[in-house]
Structures are given as structure tokens and as C-alpha cells.
């Protein structure tokens, strides 16, 4: 498959997908390396596709959001699982995490955690890797862009974070 046909194929797959597409799977389907897929995604983004990249795969960003809020939280490494689980149990989707760095300014990481299973998977990966969290560099203070379907669900997310003592107010 040549470059043009491969990128058209990836574009079509992204537009039709109802789940995240793994880079390794796309690479196998197209007979190329994962790094080639990474490059293709960068080119498709440069051409205007709003492609989101997560550790669990690629997907197209949806145009319409119901209710979005930036929530400020503070906790240690052990509080991560409680925080993520509380948000998704209350009906929230955690799009990202952001921290302020004294040299680089705002740093962020894409999360796209939509379920309790994904929250558990993130915590497991965090524990297995031993990698520092972004919030480690900011004394535990960080923000999440959270989406819910309704204002009532957002109020439930906020209440849940207060209940476990991680909402920074």
C-alpha cells in the first residue's frame, strides 16, 4: 500500500471507528512499522484532522461536548486511583491532566479515561512503570479537563472529589 492509499485508509478507519485504533494494529494491517503510523497521524493532523492520541490508541475528537469543566485537584501518587475512579463513577470522562512547570509553563498529558476499567488500567500502568506523574512536579496540584453529559453529573463529579478530599478549593 503506497503512502497516499495508506493515509486514506487510516482516515476512513478513524472516521468509522466506534473505539480507539491501536497503532500496532494499523501498522500490521498496512504492512508498515508503528513509527510509520505515528508519522501518518502527524501528517493527517497537519491536514486538519482532530486526531487524539492516547496510550490505548487513536480516535477522532467529537465536535460536540455536553458539559466541560477544568477541575483542580491535589493528592499524592496513592490518591490517583481514588480520584480517577471517583470521576468516572460519577459519570465523568477525564480528557487530560495539566500542571504548571516553572520553566516550561503548562504541561499536559492526554488521558481519555471513560470507564472504571480504564482508570484501573491507568493506575496499573502507573504502578508497573514506576514513572513519575506530571503532578509529581507540582506538589500534587494539577487540573483535569472533565466532560459529563449534564450539569447534574458534573455536580456529582465535584461532590465525589470533595468527598474523597482531592478537590483543591
Amino acid at each position: 500500500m503506497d503512502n497516499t492509499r495508506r493515509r486514506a485508509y487510516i482516515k476512513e478507519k478513524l472516521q468509522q471507528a466506534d473505539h480507539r485504533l491501536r497503532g500496532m494494529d494499523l501498522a500490521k494491517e498496512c504492512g508498515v512499522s508503528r513509527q510509520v503510523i505515528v508519522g501518518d497521524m502527524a501528517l493527517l493532523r497537519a491536514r486538519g484532522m482532530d486526531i487524539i492520541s492516547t496510550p490505548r490508541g487513536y480516535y477522532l475528537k467529537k465536535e460536540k461536548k455536553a458539559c466541560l469543566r477544568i477541575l483542580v485537584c491535589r493528592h499524592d501518587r496513592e490518591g490517583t486511583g481514588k480520584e480517577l475512579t471517583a470521576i468516572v463513577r460519577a459519570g465523568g470522562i477525564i480528557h487530560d491532566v495539566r500542571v504548571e512547570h516553572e520553566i516550561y509553563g503548562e504541561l499536559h498529558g492526554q488521558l481519555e479515561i471513560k470507564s472504571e476499567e480504564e482508570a484501573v488500567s491507568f493506575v496499573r500502568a502507573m504502578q508497573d512503570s514506576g514513572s513519575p506523574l506530571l503532578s509529581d512536579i507540582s506538589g500534587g496540584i494539577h487540573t483535569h479537563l472533565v466532560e459529563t453529559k449534564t450539569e447534574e453529573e458534573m455536580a456529582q463529579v465535584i461532590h465525589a472529589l470533595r468527598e474523597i478530599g482531592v478537590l483543591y478549593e
Side-chain angles (χ1 to χ4, degrees):
M1 187 179 305
D2 68 22
N3 294 342
T4 303
R5 283 188 20 223
R6 185 181 63 250
R7 290 182 194 123
Y9 173 78
I10 292 169
K11 180 178 179 179
E12 185 176 331
K13 291 273 292 192
L14 284 165
Q15 290 169 332
Q16 294 175 353
D18 59 355
H19 61 283
R20 295 180 182 122
L21 303 176
R22 293 185 48 218
M24 289 298 290
D25 295 339
L26 288 170
K28 186 184 254 185
E29 291 171 28
C30 296
V32 296
S33 70
R34 185 182 158 294
Q35 195 56 41
V36 169
I37 298 299
V38 170
D40 288 342
M41 292 299 180
L43 289 170
L44 290 170
R45 276 190 202 101
R47 293 178 185 159
M49 288 189 79
D50 203 353
I51 300 169
I52 304 297
S53 172
T54 75
R56 294 171 306 283
Y58 298 99
Y59 71 95
L60 287 178
K61 185 175 181 181
K62 293 182 179 108
E63 289 299 314
K64 216 171 181 189
K65 303 290 183 204
C67 181
L68 289 172
R69 293 281 189 289
I70 295 173
L71 302 177
V72 183
C73 297
R74 183 177 191 180
H75 57 78
D76 59 14
R77 188 174 183 88
E78 288 72 39
T80 302
K82 289 179 185 175
E83 172 200 53
L84 300 178
T85 301
I87 293 170
V88 296
R89 279 184 180 163
I93 297 170
I94 309 151
H95 288 291
D96 68 9
V97 59
R98 295 174 186 261
V99 297
E100 287 293 324
H101 188 275
E102 63 185 72
I103 296 173
Y104 297 113
E106 187 177 76
L107 300 175
H108 81 278
Q110 290 294 129
L111 295 178
E112 301 307 330
I113 296 173
K114 300 177 181 177
S115 68
E116 194 167 344
E117 179 183 333
E118 290 176 351
V120 169
S121 177
F122 178 86
V123 170
R124 189 177 309 118
M126 174 191 78
Q127 291 167 339
D128 291 348
S129 73
S131 295
L133 298 175
L134 280 177
S135 60
D136 290 344
I137 64 173
S138 60
I141 298 174
H142 58 285
T143 66
H144 289 295
L145 177 61
V146 175
E147 175 186 350
T148 59
K149 292 178 186 168
T150 65
E151 290 288 340
E152 292 77 21
E153 282 183 341
M154 186 60 71
Q156 291 172 353
V157 167
I158 292 167
H159 177 74
L161 293 174
R162 276 190 186 118
E163 284 284 304
I164 62 170
V166 301
L167 191 64
Y168 189 76
E169 299 181 276

